[in-house]
Structures are given as structure tokens and as C-alpha cells.
Amino acid sequence: MSDTTKKGDGTTKEQQPRRRQARGERRIAQLLHAAARVFCTTGYTAASTNAIAREAGVSPGTLYQFFPNKEAIAIELGDRLMHEMREAYGEALAPVDPATPLEEAIGSAVDRFMAFNTDHPVFFALMHGPDIPGRMAEAHEQLHTTVVGRIETLLASLMPGAAPADVTRTAHVCLGIYKAGLELVLAHEGAERAAYIRETKDVLIRYLEPLVGDQPAARDAVPRKPEPLQWIHTP
């Protein structure tokens, strides 16, 4: 019998492993989505594999076919989210033209940051909890370093001539402001959430305005002379 012989359900032997793999991937995604809801509701410490299985609508035995414990679930979930976040933050923190208005640069970056975190609130719950799994803590520290570097690059384009140490310090302060704002944003919904996002932007803009405006490039810019008035003579 050849490998392409059809079985009773109309599939071939070659198709069977692919179908089993696809079913497995769907089950893993189902378990990860359930885990995300449980981690957001109870936190990582209080979560259990039984609660995750119950949320997913499967038996604990089914869960253990894919994950040995909740730490393995959290690590897989964290790995997937960090991959998505690197892509999102890479776009959000791309260097900008120095002529770009500060409000526009900050607004665009914050909107993308907030969109990712409000779409995936479990990321904040896992990465900023008190008992983040060891492997995730290491990956998060690497990600933190990368994000700070991206912010430095963005700020360097807005603060030409600033000392590197000043840019680094400013990047850390900006990230701290953003994290504080994010915690408030995630605690609210609807109009209040939108209001907290606006407030976070305003705080960042007010913090950066004097720093950006005090750079040599800004101080040394030659002001444009006003155009002479053109008097209109009527007959």
C-alpha cells in the first residue's frame, strides 16, 4: 500500500501527521489563551494548571499532554508575546526626522506601545509580577535593555548634540513614566482608559519639551526674519 493510499476519512497517510500537528497547535493556542485570562485574573502565583484547564474547557490530563506545569505555560506564552513585542516596539521606536513635532513623535510611539499592552494585558501581569519565572526574568531583562536602547535612538534623533549619558538617563526616565502610566491604563476601560493614555502622553511631552528645546541645535537655530509688510494701495 502506498503512502498516498486514502484512509476511511478521505485523508492519506501523508496528510494524517499534518492534521494531528494542526490539531495540536490549535489545542496549544487554546491553552495559552486560557492561561492568559487566568494569569490576568488571579496573577501567576495563585494560578494553577487545574484553573487553566477549566478555563480552556479541557481536562487536566489533556493540558499535561502539552505542558508539564504552569511555569512551562507561562514561558511559552511569554516567548510568543516577547516576539510580537519586539516587532511592535521596533516600529514604535524608529528614529524620526528632527523636524518632527515632539507631540507627534511621542504620540505615535505611545499609541503603539499602548496598543500592544492593552491587546495583551497578560504581558504586563507576567513581566512585572513578583515571582516571574527565572527564564522569563532573564529574557525580560534582555528585552528591557533592547527597549532602552531603542528609546535612546529615538531620543538622539530628537536631541541632537545631547551627551550620551544625558540621553541614556532621559530614556530610563521616559520608560519609567510610561510604565507608571500603563499600570493606570490597564486598570481602566473605555473613556477613562483613553483619558489615562492622553495623560501619559502629556506627562512625557512636558518632561521632554525643555530637554529637546534646550539642545544646541535648537538654541543655535537662526530665527527667520519676518517678511516685510506689503502695503496694499487702493486707488
Side-chain angles (χ1 to χ4, degrees), residues 108-184:
S108 176
V110 169
D111 281 341
R112 294 200 183 202
F113 270 62
M114 289 294 182
F116 175 85
N117 282 282
T118 53
D119 287 345
H120 306 288
V122 68
F123 185 81
F124 188 86
L126 282 177
M127 298 304 173
H128 300 281
D131 53 357
I132 179 172
R135 176 177 155 189
M136 284 177 61
E138 294 174 6
H140 183 253
E141 183 60 32
Q142 293 174 358
L143 185 61
H144 175 83
T145 301
T146 301
V147 170
V148 170
R150 293 271 190 175
I151 296 174
E152 288 175 344
T153 302
L154 173 60
L155 290 174
S157 62
L158 294 170
M159 301 165 59
D166 292 340
V167 173
T168 298
R169 189 183 314 107
T170 302
H172 281 286
V173 173
C174 285
L175 187 56
I177 293 171
Y178 170 76
K179 285 181 178 179
L182 175 61
E183 190 167 0
L184 292 168

Side-chain angles (χ1 to χ4, degrees), residues 21-223:
Q21 183 178 6
R23 284 196 298 269
E25 285 298 324
R26 286 196 297 271
R27 182 69 77 191
I28 289 172
Q30 177 186 3
L31 291 167
L32 292 177
H33 286 144
R37 293 191 293 271
V38 171
F39 291 149
C40 283
T41 303
T42 68
Y44 175 76
T45 303
S48 67
T49 50
N50 284 343
I52 294 170
R54 186 165 53 249
E55 182 70 25
V58 302
S59 68
T62 298
L63 182 149
Y64 288 126
Q65 290 177 18
F66 299 95
F67 298 104
N69 49 47
K70 72 173 181 179
E71 181 176 355
I73 297 174
I75 288 172
E76 177 65 23
L77 183 59
D79 284 347
R80 294 189 181 205
L81 288 174
M82 278 192 273
H83 176 73
E84 290 185 39
M85 198 195 78
R86 285 190 184 93
E87 293 183 353
Y89 282 17
E91 295 175 1
L93 297 173
V96 298
D97 188 318
T100 303
L102 182 62
E103 292 82 356
E104 181 182 329
I106 296 302
S108 176
V110 169
D111 281 341
R112 294 200 183 202
F113 270 62
M114 289 294 182
F116 175 85
N117 282 282
T118 53
D119 287 345
H120 306 288
V122 68
F123 185 81
F124 188 86
L126 282 177
M127 298 304 173
H128 300 281
D131 53 357
I132 179 172
R135 176 177 155 189
M136 284 177 61
E138 294 174 6
H140 183 253
E141 183 60 32
Q142 293 174 358
L143 185 61
H144 175 83
T145 301
T146 301
V147 170
V148 170
R150 293 271 190 175
I151 296 174
E152 288 175 344
T153 302
L154 173 60
L155 290 174
S157 62
L158 294 170
M159 301 165 59
D166 292 340
V167 173
T168 298
R169 189 183 314 107
T170 302
H172 281 286
V173 173
C174 285
L175 187 56
I177 293 171
Y178 170 76
K179 285 181 178 179
L182 175 61
E183 190 167 0
L184 292 168
V185 167
L186 293 177
H188 294 82
E189 297 286 346
E192 276 300 292
R193 171 173 286 187
Y196 276 107
I197 291 175
R198 289 195 301 272
E199 292 291 338
T200 302
K201 292 179 184 178
D202 287 345
V203 172
L204 284 166
I205 290 168
R206 289 175 183 275
Y207 167 62
L208 288 172
E209 270 180 338
L211 300 176
V212 171
D214 195 41
Q215 293 310 304
R219 290 198 308 267
D220 299 340
V222 178

